[in-house]
């Protein structure tokens, strides 16, 4: 065994040279890995070996370029040089894949002459999720293996494809026996040599891309396909399609040049910077400054859910999907039956869409038991209450849970805004009480706000966060305050959206500005969807706001065909002349001259209050770090990923600019625009939100 560098070993086993990369955690192609590959192959070429196996230690094959190196000064060997060296080998090179071969990792493997993978391995080119394209030849080599159409699908979705499918596609040549990868790779290498198999260079082949030359329409068809709807606002998918067009129409080297040009454009774009930030932020959320490795995690093997409504049913599905049985309790059988029918409907739809079989639907439904009696929660490890937002009801429920549940059970509330401390006060064990705020639809939305109350124990926090991770959520630990993090900022935005209307802006102009910014919908479309009459009653209505006036006119939103918008029978909205008149009337009454509002002005008026509220949240230590706030907004409210979240967006704008605009708006509209003290401080120190050190959620008992 020869040590090549700190992450690379070379071993000669008779006629086979084995290069092993060992660079935890995921063998990313950092400069020392690239150098190790270069020196490893160079050293292997100098031996008598008649074949070379490239394999990785640890949990995975190379998982891609080292994302943290992007934007830094170039260091060490270039990846292109390493790949060219591998391809030029005069003896067969076999990539032996386990774990995941992703991005640059797969692109390295595609420069081997053959690939072998264990059945559990997966391959993918997920660069699109980082706002990038596969920039190490992937866009040119993949179409030459799988054809143009499949290559576009593969790279614009970033999907991780199981080894057996890779075998079918020709992406890998053989499957190894699980746990026997190295030996099987060596056997394969010896066989290839014995049989005199050619040194297959993907860059030389043309047969898979040739058909697309006669069907150039496939590119525009793909651009306007259903799958392409997800590309709105993202730059990388279009660049990937252009690269595949180049792979079809240009010689390999020219295609590579095109790929490099488009990769450079993307890697320097703000969209990719935001998406790379999100990649790391999604992993930061789990790091809790005051929860250590030694903090115990309580077992969560059974879960009780109170409420079979939309939230309760959706929450139940999360657990069942990862094999944790649930018991749902309701107050009457009808509600249970209705809730279960919705869950079954969701699973059956997934089955019809080919995600799993009908047997699997039955298996999952079999993991849900129902009851009309909370006494059935006596043995469950965690209870999640998901009833309507009424403090008295919640306190009564938690009082009962306190009597029924075993010691140590986690008692969680799914409230989206109520005070968890007050809920906990109904029990004799506030240390077991925590908020687990799921977002609707709970089986789909990835966001989970885990709310730490004053007395919640560290082990309960640890357990709730780990459980969130297990069920596939992006959790963020937050503190108790009205609306927690997400809804608190949403309220701030909503106040300003209403203020815009009062000044004469039309709801559809406000919504369009936010849609064009990248949101799925604007605040008034959201209102119409949720129902304008939430919290409104005819008896107490004063007609003082536009919303109240609309409700008084029985315009309650999509559900009755009229709200801010008029709706047709397919629930497609169009601007309503009635709303328009109302808006004009209110603006006139307030003495606001009729004028147009630009999209930039609207976005600024809606986003700045969110940023300011986010700063206050951070200052009060209701969030651990700015990027956690961004994760809540991306995963809970569809903030566009390519804008990185409100706090990242503020850093991109420059906090001095944000502060200056807030001060101007304060001068114009009053103290609701008063900048957060933290913002003033960061600007004075020349710092950004990203510079704010992660600190534990503030509770009276802590620091
Ligand atoms: C690319 O390849 C561009 C090329 O086409 C062109 C180049 C010219 N870099 O996710 P985990 C860290 S772009 C740096 O929790 P898992 C991660 O931050 C790349 N760091 O583990 C975390 O650190 P920490 C294309 C990376 O088992 C730790 O590793 N490739 C990278 O749940 C563990 O990660 C991708 O996009 C990286 N590439 O999942 C693949 N990857 O512990 C990105 C991970 O300090 N990676 N880290 O928080 C993944 O999808 C998952 O990490 C993977 C493992 C599936 C591999």
């Amino acid at each position: 065994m020869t040590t090549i560098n700190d992450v690379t070993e070379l071993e000669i086993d008779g006629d086979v040279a084995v290069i092993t990369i060992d660079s935890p955690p995921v063998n990313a192609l950092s400069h020392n890995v690239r150098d190790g590959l270069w020196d490893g192959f160079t050293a292997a070429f100098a031996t008598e070996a008649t074949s070379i196996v490239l394999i990785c230690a640890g949990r995975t094959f190379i998982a891609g370029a080292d994302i943290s190196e992007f934007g830094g000064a170039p260091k060490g060997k270039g990846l292109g040089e390493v790949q060219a060296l591998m391809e030029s080998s005069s003896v067969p090179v076999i990539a032996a894949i386990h774990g995941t071969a992703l991005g640059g990792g797969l692109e390295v493997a595609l420069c081997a002459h053959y690939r072998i993978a264990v059945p559990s391995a997966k391959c993918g080119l997920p660069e699109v999720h980082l706002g990038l394209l596969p920039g190490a030849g992937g866009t040119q080599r993949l179409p030459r293996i799988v054809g143009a159409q499949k290559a576009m699908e593969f790279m614009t979705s970033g999907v991780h494809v199981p080894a057996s499918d890779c075998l079918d596609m020709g992406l890998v040549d053989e499957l190894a026996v699980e746990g026997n990868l190295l030996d099987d790779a060596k056997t394969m290498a010896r066989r290839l040599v014995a049989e005199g198999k050619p040194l297959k260079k993907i860059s030389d082949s043309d047969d898979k891309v040739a058909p697309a030359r006669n069907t150039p329409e496939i590119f525009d068809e793909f651009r306007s396909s259903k799958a392409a709807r997800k590309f709105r606002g993202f730059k990388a998918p279009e660049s990937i399609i252009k690269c595949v067009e180049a792979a079809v129409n240009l010689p390999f080297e020219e295609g590579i040049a095109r790929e490099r040009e488009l990769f450079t454009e993307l890697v320097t774009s703000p969209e990719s910077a935001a998406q790379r930030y999100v990649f790391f932020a999604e992993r930061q959320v789990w790091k809790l400054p005051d929860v250590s490795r030694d903090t115990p995690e309580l077992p969560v093997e059974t879960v009780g859910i109170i409420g079979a409504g939309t939230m309760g049913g959706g929450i139940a599905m999360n657990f069942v999907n990862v094999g944790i049985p649930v018991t749902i309790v309701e107050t009457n059988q009808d509600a249970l039956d209705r809730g279960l029918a919705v869950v079954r409907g969701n699973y059956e739809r997934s089955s019809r869409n080919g995600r799993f079989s009908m047997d699997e639907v039955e298996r999952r439904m079999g993991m849900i038991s129902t009851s009309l009696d909370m006494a059935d929660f006596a043995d469950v490890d965690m209870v999640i209450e998901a009833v309507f937002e009424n403090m008295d009801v919640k306190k009564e429920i938690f009082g009962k849970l306190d009597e029924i549940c075993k010691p140590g059970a986690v008692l969680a509330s799914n409230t989206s805004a109520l005070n968890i401390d007050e809920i906990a006060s109904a029990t004799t064990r506030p240390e077991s009480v925590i908020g687990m705020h799921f977002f609707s639809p709970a089986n789909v939305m990835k966001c989970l706000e885990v709310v730490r109350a004053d007395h919640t124990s560290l082990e309960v926090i640890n357990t709730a966060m780990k459980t969130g991770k297990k069920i596939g959520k992006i959790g963020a630990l937050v503190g108790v305050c009205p609306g927690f993090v997400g809804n608190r900022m949403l309220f701030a935005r909503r106040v300003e959206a209403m203020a815009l209307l009062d000044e004469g802006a039309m709801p559809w102009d406000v919504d369009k500005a936010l849609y064009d910014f990248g949101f799925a919908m604007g605040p008034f479309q959201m209102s119409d969807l949720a129902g304008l009459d939430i919290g409104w009653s005819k008896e107490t209505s004063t007609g003082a706001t536009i919303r109240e006036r609309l409700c008084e006119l029985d315009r309650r939103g999509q559900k009755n065909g009229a709200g801010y918008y008029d709706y047709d029978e397919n629930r497609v909205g169009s601007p309503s002349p009635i709303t328009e008149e109302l808006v004009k009337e209110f603006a006139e009454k307030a003495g606001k001259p009729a004028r147009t509002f630009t999209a930039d002005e609207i976005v600024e008026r809606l986003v700045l209050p969110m940023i300011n509220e986010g700063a206050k949240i951070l200052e009060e230590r209701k969030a651990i770090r700015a990027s956690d706030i961004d994760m809540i907004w991306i995963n809970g409210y569809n903030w566009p990923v390519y804008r990185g979240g409100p706090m990242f967006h503020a850093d991109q704008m420059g906090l001095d600019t944000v502060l200056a605009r807030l001060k101007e708006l304060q001068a114009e509209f009053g103290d609701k625009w008063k900048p957060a003290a933290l913002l003033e401080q960061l600007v004075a120190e020349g710092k950004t939100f990203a510079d704010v050190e992660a600190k534990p959620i503030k509770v009276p008992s802590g620091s």
Side-chain angles (χ1 to χ4, degrees):
M1 178 92 76
T2 312
T3 297
I4 301 291
N5 69 3
D6 55 338
V7 295
T8 317
E9 303 274 2
L10 173 66
E11 187 182 15
I12 306 299
D13 177 8
D15 49 351
V16 184
V18 178
I19 297 171
T20 305
I21 298 294
D22 185 5
S23 180
V26 296
N27 295 310
L29 288 159
S30 51
H31 65 93
N32 49 349
V33 170
R34 295 194 303 272
D35 287 348
L37 285 170
W38 176 272
D39 293 339
F41 275 99
T42 307
F45 293 165
T47 68
E48 300 290 306
T50 55
S51 60
I52 302 172
V53 169
L54 169 64
I55 195 165
C56 290
R59 64 199 215 215
T60 181
F61 190 75
I62 301 167
D66 184 340
I67 303 164
S68 62
E69 277 190 2
F70 289 135
K75 227 170 145 188
K77 279 285 166 202
L79 189 52
E81 291 173 276
V82 171
Q83 290 173 294
L85 185 73
M86 285 173 67
E87 264 192 334
S88 73
S89 170
S90 58
V91 298
V93 175
I94 294 97
I97 300 171
H98 76 294
T100 45
L102 298 176
L106 180 58
E107 292 171 290
V108 164
L110 293 182
C111 292
H113 303 108
Y114 295 90
R115 286 156 292 284
I116 181 169
V118 288
S120 62
K122 290 187 174 169
C123 296
L125 294 172
E127 286 88 341
V128 71
H129 299 309
L130 301 167
L132 298 172
L133 54 78
T139 66
Q140 303 306 297
R141 288 190 178 89
L142 185 71
R144 285 174 163 81
I145 305 172
V146 303
Q149 180 71 32
K150 261 220 168 78
M152 286 191 287
E153 290 163 10
F154 192 99
M155 291 188 282
T156 57
S157 67
V159 64
H160 295 188
V161 179
S164 56
D165 294 347
C166 293
L167 184 69
D168 294 343
M169 286 181 189
L171 210 51
V172 301
D173 302 283
E174 269 182 35
L175 292 187
V177 170
E178 202 71 52
N180 206 40
L181 181 59
L182 180 56
D183 284 347
D184 285 357
K186 287 181 191 169
T187 306
M188 180 183 179
R190 291 188 174 112
R191 201 185 56 243
L192 290 169
V193 173
E195 291 173 0
K197 292 284 187 213
L199 301 179
K200 274 202 305 186
K201 259 178 152 184
I202 296 167
S203 49
D204 288 344
S205 66
D206 186 61
D207 56 320
K208 290 285 181 172
V209 283
R213 261 172 235 140
N214 302 321
T215 53
E217 64 279 6
I218 62 164
F219 298 105
D220 281 341
E221 279 168 15
F222 187 68
R223 286 182 173 101
S224 54
S225 67
K226 206 169 150 199
R229 278 191 215 145
K230 293 192 187 134
F231 303 163
R232 183 173 75 94
F234 291 91
K235 281 206 172 119
E238 174 57 26
S239 300
I240 289 171
I241 298 169
K242 282 184 179 151
C243 283
V244 178
E245 282 181 303
V248 168
N249 296 314
L250 300 176
F252 183 78
E253 286 309 328
E254 284 178 40
I256 288 283
R258 182 81 175 121
E259 177 191 276
R260 194 164 306 136
E261 180 194 343
L262 290 169
F263 181 84
T264 306
E265 261 177 33
L266 291 177
V267 81
T268 51
S269 70
E271 288 83 359
S272 174
Q275 287 177 260
R276 279 160 12 223
Y277 162 83
V278 170
F279 176 85
F280 289 112
E282 278 181 354
R283 285 155 180 84
Q284 283 290 312
V285 283
W286 309 111
K287 296 174 186 161
L288 310 178
D290 51 353
V291 171
S292 71
R293 275 176 191 279
D294 306 329
T295 307
E297 180 189 349
L298 302 165
V300 179
E301 282 157 17
T302 50
V303 172
I305 292 167
I306 309 175
T310 321
M311 281 316 279
I315 294 170
M317 289 176 74
N318 286 298
F319 288 95
V320 168
N321 293 348
V322 297
I324 299 176
V326 300
T327 302
I328 307 182
V329 165
E330 255 295 353
T331 47
N332 65 74
Q333 192 59 41
D334 275 358
L336 271 180
D337 293 345
R338 268 198 312 274
L340 239 58
V342 172
V343 171
R344 174 175 284 281
N346 287 339
Y347 279 141
E348 286 180 352
R349 194 169 330 110
S350 296
S351 174
R352 279 197 301 277
N353 292 341
R355 286 197 42 219
F356 43 71
S357 65
M358 277 307 288
D359 285 351
E360 180 61 17
V361 173
E362 294 311 324
R363 198 188 66 77
R364 293 192 191 199
M365 290 306 293
M367 290 175 70
I368 306 177
S369 47
T370 58
S371 165
L372 296 174
D373 188 354
M374 281 208 289
D376 288 333
F377 288 156
D379 291 323
V380 298
D381 299 318
M382 172 181 271
V383 178
I384 301 175
E385 163 277 308
V387 305
F388 53 95
E389 296 283 46
N390 178 305
M391 181 56 88
D392 292 338
V393 174
K394 297 207 187 238
K395 281 169 91 168
E396 193 190 325
I397 287 174
F398 275 75
K400 283 192 189 144
L401 290 176
D402 192 28
E403 286 165 19
I404 294 166
C405 293
K406 66 183 180 188
V410 174
L411 308 182
S413 171
N414 174 52
T415 179
S416 60
L418 296 180
N419 187 324
I420 308 285
D421 289 307
E422 195 177 337
I423 295 174
S425 71
T427 72
T428 58
R429 40 173 140 171
E431 68 283 359
S432 297
V433 179
I434 194 161
M436 288 178 79
H437 173 210
F438 291 79
F439 288 65
S440 185
N443 52 318
V444 176
M445 297 298 282
K446 293 206 86 164
C447 188
L448 176 68
E449 279 183 326
V450 175
V451 192
R452 174 181 191 163
D454 282 357
H455 302 286
T456 315
S457 71
L458 289 181
E459 61 182 9
V460 167
I461 292 170
N462 191 28
T463 304
M465 289 293 282
K466 293 262 165 62
T467 302
K469 193 168 192 187
K470 228 169 270 166
I471 62 176
K473 299 296 174 196
I474 306 287
L477 189 67
V478 302
V480 176
C481 56
F484 312 129
V485 169
N487 280 339
R488 180 169 160 183
M489 290 166 70
L490 184 69
F491 296 152
R493 188 182 84 176
R494 192 177 294 159
V495 167
E496 205 44 34
M498 293 312 301
L500 277 169
L501 247 55
D502 289 341
E503 288 171 40
M506 291 299 152
W508 31 94
D509 292 335
V510 174
D511 286 340
K512 180 163 187 326
L514 276 200
Y515 178 82
D516 289 346
F517 182 78
F519 279 98
M521 62 176 83
F524 299 106
Q525 288 160 322
M526 247 171 103
S527 243
D528 272 3
L529 185 64
L532 287 188
D533 53 347
I534 295 177
W536 174 84
S537 83
K538 203 172 181 170
E539 294 68 39
T540 54
S541 185
T542 59
T545 65
I546 293 174
R547 182 181 77 103
E548 282 190 317
R549 288 282 294 279
L550 288 169
C551 288
E552 287 169 8
L553 292 168
D554 201 31
R555 299 182 67 90
R556 292 160 184 253
Q558 277 197 23
K559 60 186 169 191
N560 76 337
Y564 287 102
Y565 294 79
D566 290 331
Y567 291 91
D568 66 14
E569 60 285 2
N570 298 318
R571 291 200 167 198
V572 175
S574 56
S576 153
I578 298 177
T579 309
E580 186 170 342
E581 277 315 307
L582 263 182
V583 170
K584 284 182 180 158
E585 181 194 315
F586 270 72
E588 212 169 281
K589 242 191 309 184
K592 302 282 177 190
R595 69 176 182 98
T596 45
F597 293 75
T598 66
D600 284 350
E601 179 185 9
I602 293 170
V603 167
E604 183 186 60
R605 286 276 296 274
L606 297 184
V607 168
L608 286 183
M610 293 173 60
I611 294 170
N612 204 28
E613 202 61 41
K616 291 178 196 165
I617 286 168
L618 208 51
E619 182 182 308
E620 294 165 24
R621 288 177 43 200
K622 300 295 182 191
I624 292 174
R625 52 180 83 78
S627 61
D628 287 9
I629 300 176
D630 287 335
M631 291 308 94
I632 291 171
W633 266 84
I634 285 178
N635 297 299
Y637 301 85
N638 289 317
W639 176 285
V641 180
Y642 54 84
R643 292 192 196 270
M647 309 312 275
F648 178 83
H649 185 65
D651 281 348
Q652 296 291 89
M653 285 171 74
L655 292 193
D656 48 352
T657 307
V658 171
L659 181 64
R661 278 303 289 143
L662 284 173
K663 285 185 170 166
E664 282 165 16
L665 288 160
Q666 186 186 10
E668 190 177 348
F669 296 106
D671 272 353
K672 70 174 174 177
W673 287 97
K674 187 173 178 335
L678 177 67
L679 198 48
E680 302 257 17
Q681 182 196 329
L682 291 175
V683 171
E685 292 170 358
K687 289 186 176 160
T688 62
F689 285 130
D691 293 328
V692 178
E693 192 195 333
K695 293 211 188 85
I697 298 296
K698 193 167 186 174
V699 285
S701 47
S703 54

